Structures are given as structure tokens and as C-alpha cells.
Amino acid sequence: MAHARISANLPPNIDPTKAPIAFGRRALPKLNEELQSPELLTQQRALMALCDLVHDPQNVYEALELGVLDNLKTLLVHQDNTVRQKTTEILHIMTMHNVGRHGLIQNGVISALAELFDDPVDICRKNMHLIFEYMSKLTEGAVGILHAGLIPLLVSKLKNELEEIQELILGTLSNCLRVEASEALAADAVTVLKEKLTHTSVATRSKAAWVLLEISTHPEGKNEVCEEVIPMLVSLLEDADPEIQASATGALMFATIKPQGRFSALGAGAIPPLLKLAAEEGGKARLSAIKALTMLAELPKGRETLLNHLDTFQQRLKDPSKAVRRAAKTAISVIQWKPY
């Protein structure tokens, strides 16, 4: 199904002419001065020119040294839509460079960007979320987003934001919740993510499952996943998309560490699809599937069922992956265990 895409094209009444760029080392200082001009057109032209220059990481470094970020942070709340659009675009391009990501984090851009959560211009919000996603790939950036208290806001925006932006939010949450999940759990993230697991978009389902995987790695997260979403994760084991299968299997693997999770997964019929994934040659989910099945073998009913499928695990003893071979050996040992 086709979806409308957020356009980065400028309004037709905007003069896209760039500011004349000064020669050599004077270029960025001059543009930095023009960003502070009282003339709107001068600011717009300076932003157009700067947008081209920051594709070069050397220019990004120089811009950071000149304090360009202070002016860009001010322009984030400018009343002119085009100024805000180009400002967020420049910041987005800067985050594509490692020096830019570190610079934005260290100069307090995260809190400044938070002013755009309800911006009326779609492309401004999209650029903001692109920046957050890039920054959150660094632990330092993920911690910055957590410390800025943005997780509850990000979770709430999953309910009504544009689909294209929701995918970016899910990417940011996945990176941040790898570090800390308590704020997301307090914001009822599991319930929101549960709804996304049945979304028509493959990308949304996949990313929602990945966020749940990150949540389930935390002790407090395992409890909520066990209580609310295990049956849905089991259904995703048979999804047509391998990425969704892999993330759902990973989330189940962590959830079944708890006895409650094992009983819930067993009751939801997890063993047949997990066996299928474990048997796939080179499948992305095979390691997590074997580990989840090992957990289910801790239950008498699970062990009884899996005793009839030892050949699946024996085949994996020849797997090219050492981790898979080791997991298969452990699974066989657990399945064949006897109390006497």
C-alpha cells in the first residue's frame, strides 16, 4: 500500500538562491555572521549555503569550533518555517559525521531540538527524529536523550505521529532502551508497542519487535513482556519477514528466562515455530530459537515434547557457527536430563 512521504521541497514562494560563499577560511565565519542577520532572506541564504558545506566533515569540525551550533540552536525556534526546516536539515547532515554527533551531544542540542516535537511542519519533525536516531547510536547520545527526559514523550508520539516518523522513533527507542528501560516502562511503552506488532507496515512491526527485545533484556522489562505480549511474539515467529522473526525470537529468548515467561510461551504454542526457526540453515533466528527452546525444556511438558525432536538439535551440532553448535549441545543436554 502506498503512503504519502514527507517532502523536503521548499515552498514555491521561497527564493532558494544561496548566499555568496566567501573564499577559503572566511567562508564559514561569514555564514555564521549572516545567520545572526535581522534580514530573513539573508538568514535563509546563509542556511542554504551552510547546508552544502556541512557535507564535508572538515567543515563540520570548523563550524563547531566557530560556535555555529549556538546560532543554529536559536534558529530552531524561529517563526519562519523555512529557517527551521533548513536548520534541522543542517543538524541532520552534521550527525552523519562522527565529529558532528559528538559536537551536537556536547553542545546541548538534544534539549534544544525537543522544542520541535509539536512543530506544525512535518519535515522539521522528521529531521528532528532523524537527528535523535543518529545520535542515539552512540551510547553518549542515548544517555543524553534519557537524561533530557524525552523517553515518555517519544513513547506518546508513537500513538499519533506520522507513520514515517514513527519508524524513526522506534529506532531511537531501541538504541536508548539498550541503556535504560525504566522510563519507557513507566510510560506504558509495552502496551503501545504491543499495538505496533500488528501494524500493516513490515518496518514498523520489525522495529517494534526490536524495541521489545531491548526492553526484555532488563529484569523489570521481562516481567511486562511476560504478562502482556508473549502470545503476540509467538505469532510473529511465523512472520514472512526474517528480521521480524529474529527480533521476536530474541525477545522470547529473554522472556523465557523467567518461569512465568516459559509457561506463557509454552501455552501460546511456541515450540513448533521455534523448532522450524532452529532448523533453518543460516537463519538469523536459529541461535535465539535454540536458546528459547532450551528454556522451554526446563518444563516437564516442554522436555517431553522436545524429546521427539532431538534430531533438529543434532543437526545444529554441525552448524558453521560455534555459538550455535554450543547452544545445540546445551539444549540436547537439558532435554535429555533425568532426575535420577
Side-chain angles (χ1 to χ4, degrees):
M1 183 174 66
H3 296 283
R5 306 296 291 181
I6 298 173
S7 173
N9 293 333
L10 295 172
N13 62 323
I14 296 297
D15 180 1
T17 308
K18 301 181 184 73
I21 299 177
F23 182 76
R25 293 186 176 182
R26 182 62 188 146
L28 282 168
K30 185 173 186 297
L31 290 175
N32 194 32
E33 292 169 9
E34 291 173 347
L35 292 178
Q36 304 169 66
S37 170
E39 296 293 329
L40 177 59
L41 186 57
T42 301
Q43 289 180 311
Q44 290 176 342
R45 286 176 170 173
L47 288 166
M48 299 285 184
L50 187 58
C51 203
D52 284 346
L53 290 177
V54 292
H55 283 280
D56 184 339
Q58 180 59 42
N59 288 333
V60 173
Y61 176 80
E62 187 179 344
L64 292 171
E65 290 294 303
L66 288 169
V68 169
L69 281 182
D70 289 334
N71 290 324
L72 292 177
K73 285 194 291 183
T74 301
L75 294 177
L76 283 172
V77 291
H78 198 284
Q79 63 181 3
D80 182 70
N81 293 347
T82 302
V83 169
R84 296 199 310 281
Q85 175 182 338
K86 298 308 292 185
T87 301
T88 55
E89 186 177 340
I90 289 166
L91 292 171
H92 170 222
I93 295 168
M94 291 177 76
T95 60
M96 294 180 183
H97 307 292
N98 196 44
V99 64
R101 282 195 292 272
H102 283 289
L104 266 64
I105 293 165
Q106 293 164 5
N107 284 275
V109 173
I110 290 174
S111 297
L113 283 166
E115 298 293 328
L116 300 180
F117 266 100
D118 295 310
D119 195 284
V121 181
D122 295 344
I123 189 62
C124 291
R125 300 198 311 280
K126 179 184 176 182
N127 285 338
M128 175 193 71
H129 285 292
L130 279 166
I131 296 164
F132 283 153
E133 186 179 32
Y134 269 100
M135 292 172 76
S136 67
K137 291 177 181 178
L138 294 174
T139 301
E140 185 184 2
V143 169
I145 291 170
L146 286 160
H147 285 175
L150 300 184
I151 298 300
L153 194 50
L154 288 167
V155 171
S156 70
K157 289 299 178 182
L158 284 174
K159 300 173 185 176
N160 50 27
E161 190 48 280
L162 297 174
E163 183 178 312
E164 189 176 345
I165 293 177
Q166 285 185 37
E167 292 176 14
L168 298 173
I169 294 173
L170 288 168
T172 301
L173 286 172
S174 179
N175 294 329
C176 291
L177 301 191
R178 195 170 299 140
V179 178
E180 169 62 51
S182 58
E183 284 191 20
L185 291 169
D188 203 22
V190 172
T191 301
V192 177
L193 292 165
K194 181 180 174 181
E195 295 175 3
K196 299 301 174 187
L197 292 177
T198 56
H199 200 281
T200 54
S201 164
V202 171
T204 298
R205 293 202 308 276
S206 178
K207 290 189 175 184
W210 272 112
V211 179
L212 283 168
L213 170 58
E214 298 300 344
I215 287 177
S216 64
T217 62
H218 299 277
E220 65 273 29
K222 288 184 181 71
N223 291 331
E224 288 212 29
V225 171
C226 290
E227 292 171 6
E228 295 196 38
V229 297
I230 280 184
M232 297 191 73
L233 289 173
V234 171
S235 69
L236 289 178
L237 297 178
E238 299 181 279
D239 195 280
D241 187 88
E243 292 291 340
I244 295 176
Q245 290 179 332
S247 50
T249 307
L252 271 178
M253 176 187 70
F254 284 108
T256 52
I257 290 174
K258 285 187 166 286
Q260 180 187 358
R262 292 174 212 160
F263 283 108
S264 181
L266 194 63
I271 287 182
L274 283 173
L275 282 168
K276 184 178 178 182
L277 291 170
E280 283 186 6
E281 293 291 341
K284 291 185 176 182
R286 68 191 193 284
L287 178 59
S288 296
I290 292 170
K291 290 185 175 182
L293 287 166
T294 304
M295 291 293 142
L296 296 181
E298 298 280 354
L299 302 177
K301 187 177 178 181
R303 184 179 299 113
E304 181 183 350
T305 302
L306 291 170
L307 276 169
N308 297 320
H309 298 279
L310 281 174
D311 57 322
T312 298
F313 301 95
Q314 288 164 349
Q315 289 172 6
R316 294 277 68 83
L317 292 175
K318 301 174 184 177
D319 196 278
S321 166
K322 183 179 179 180
V324 171
R325 295 196 302 271
R326 185 166 55 242
K329 184 178 180 180
T330 301
I332 292 169
S333 174
V334 172
I335 293 167
Q336 292 182 324
W337 177 84
K338 292 181 180 180
Y340 50 84

